[in-house]
Amino acid sequence: MFFVLAGFMIMERVNQTSSVSEFILLGLSSQPEDQKPLFILFLTMYLVTITGNLLIILAIHSDPQLQTPMYFFLSFLSLTDICFTTTIVPRMLLSFLSEKTISYAGCLTQMYFIYVLANTDSFLLVVMAFDRYVAICDPFHYVTTMSHHRCVLLVAFSCSFPHFHSLLHTLLLNRLTFCDNNVIHHFFCDINPLLKLSCSSTFLNEIVIMSEGSVVLVTPFVCITFSYIRILITVLKIPSAAGKRKAFSTCGSHLTVVTLFYGSIFYVYLQPLSNYTVRDHVATLVYTVLTSILNPFIYSLRNKDLKEGLRKLMGRRKS
């Protein structure tokens, strides 16, 4: 309830010291001839993302064999990806057609929920790495360690803690003054291009981004790295080659997603504000759009149980 009220406060509180009441999102290209092809491309990607992740969720919840912690976390990751892309892509599609302006309150609200959902994705990836660590390194205690109650608590934490991070940065941004320049060289309201538009000091914002922001970004990655180091040590002790392949196959999909997600985020945000350029849009596209559309394919193509669950789901729909 606190976060809902905070969101309304952000929406209603327009920065009174600013002369800017709205921003202009230039998007990926300002060339008129690029708008329709980009609209078609991202509409297709959005529909594929929604369909793919929705099928993952339905397959997991309809197949009793997929009622395990690993797939429980995967279903929430898919749900977060649906919400994540919905926060970004529909607004992009609108800007491709005609409407490139977004209100001050709308911009801060979009940024708030983007950071909430991106960090929820990040924490869910940590939880999934922990699940694989327990399954491979401590299999005899897996059922008790990854009980349903504990799984629910891990998901609840992953979905709630990011609100504190997002609220902090949104409120700090809201205290800044924006004067005449209101053109955002980006396809959504991100903190770095917004800080570049401010005509007041952004020193505090930059300090918080490089300190608190770095901790929130790097800590989950360190936890995942530690989990996989322990997993690697355990797998190398398995005598049979078949056992090693089976253990690695359960981790390969997750590692692929982790590499795409964190690689692009670190490239964009773990750098000084002065180094941020329009070229960083490509890296931003990876963690905001590309990862969400690839997740269903990455997890399903390398997972026999999930592929079987999807076949059962499609068979029921046909019958």
Side-chain angles (χ1 to χ4, degrees):
M1 187 63 183
F2 166 75
F3 300 115
V4 175
L5 291 174
F8 280 117
M9 287 171 62
I10 292 169
M11 292 181 67
E12 292 177 0
R13 184 192 167 198
V14 176
N15 194 335
Q16 299 299 324
T17 61
S18 298
S19 61
V20 172
S21 61
E22 63 181 19
F23 294 102
I24 299 173
L25 289 167
L26 285 187
L28 294 173
S29 172
S30 57
Q31 301 299 320
E33 62 272 17
D34 294 336
Q35 303 308 304
K36 286 186 178 179
L38 286 172
F39 176 84
I40 295 171
L41 173 63
F42 280 93
L43 176 60
T44 303
M45 292 175 69
Y46 179 63
L47 294 176
V48 171
T49 301
I50 299 297
T51 304
N53 284 287
L54 190 59
L55 285 173
I56 294 289
I57 295 171
L58 292 174
I60 290 172
H61 286 275
S62 62
D63 191 343
Q65 291 186 341
L66 300 179
Q67 304 303 308
T68 64
M70 180 175 71
Y71 297 111
F72 177 73
F73 298 137
L74 178 57
S75 66
F76 275 95
L77 183 68
S78 294
L79 178 61
T80 303
D81 284 340
I82 290 174
C83 297
F84 193 21
T85 53
T86 301
T87 307
I88 298 172
V89 178
R91 189 65 193 73
M92 285 178 63
L93 297 176
L94 191 62
S95 68
F96 290 144
L97 293 178
S98 61
E99 187 55 55
K100 293 185 179 294
T101 60
I102 183 171
S103 68
Y104 179 93
C107 190
L108 263 64
T109 303
Q110 185 191 47
M111 191 189 83
Y112 175 85
F113 285 107
I114 285 173
Y115 286 170
V116 167
L117 294 165
N119 282 283
T120 300
D121 251 2
S122 176
F123 282 105
L124 285 173
L125 289 173
V126 175
V127 170
M128 293 173 75
F130 176 69
D131 173 73
R132 292 299 83 206
Y133 161 75
V134 177
I136 294 173
C137 300
D138 193 16
F140 296 110
H141 296 95
Y142 180 77
V143 175
T144 54
T145 303
M146 302 305 295
S147 64
H148 181 70
H149 176 70
R150 184 163 293 166
C151 291
V152 170
L153 287 178
L154 287 171
V155 169
F157 174 80
S158 300
C159 295
S160 58
F161 181 80
H163 285 274
F164 292 101
H165 168 77
S166 184
L167 186 61
L168 171 64
H169 289 281
T170 306
L171 291 178
L172 283 175
L173 185 67
N174 195 42
R175 56 178 282 276
L176 298 179
T177 302
F178 296 91
C179 301
D180 297 324
N181 188 2
N182 68 337
V183 179
I184 302 175
H185 294 273
H186 213 326
F187 57 88
F188 70 94
C189 291
D190 200 5
I191 194 165
N192 284 335
L194 281 169
L195 289 178
K196 282 200 164 188
L197 292 182
S198 175
C199 51
S200 58
S201 174
T202 60
F203 178 75
L204 177 60
N205 299 73
E206 293 182 54
I207 290 296
V208 173
I209 290 172
M210 295 306 294
S211 56
E212 185 273 348
S214 297
V215 170
V216 171
L217 285 178
V218 174
T219 302
F221 181 74
V222 170
C223 293
I224 293 173
T225 303
F226 175 77
S227 297
Y228 275 105
I229 290 174
R230 294 294 303 273
I231 288 171
L232 179 62
I233 293 170
T234 303
V235 170
L236 291 177
K237 293 179 181 177
I238 298 175
S240 67
K244 290 179 180 179
R245 281 197 300 271
K246 183 178 180 181
F248 279 126
S249 68
T250 64
C251 303
S253 301
H254 185 254
L255 275 173
T256 304
V257 173
V258 166
T259 303
L260 284 171
F261 185 80
Y262 284 103
S264 56
I265 284 185
F266 288 165
Y267 178 81
V268 173
Y269 294 106
L270 296 187
Q271 62 174 313
L273 180 61
S274 57
N275 293 346
Y276 185 85
T277 64
V278 176
R279 288 177 299 181
D280 294 319
H281 292 181
V282 178
T284 308
L285 276 172
V286 173
Y287 85 85
T288 56
V289 179
L290 190 62
T291 304
S292 296
I293 193 174
L294 290 179
N295 275 357
F297 298 101
I298 292 172
Y299 281 106
S300 61
L301 291 177
R302 301 190 62 173
N303 190 303
K304 293 180 180 179
D305 293 335
L306 191 53
K307 282 194 287 188
E308 183 61 30
L310 288 169
R311 276 195 289 268
K312 290 179 182 178
L313 177 65
M314 300 309 294
R316 282 194 217 101
R317 292 178 65 88
K318 289 178 181 178
S319 58

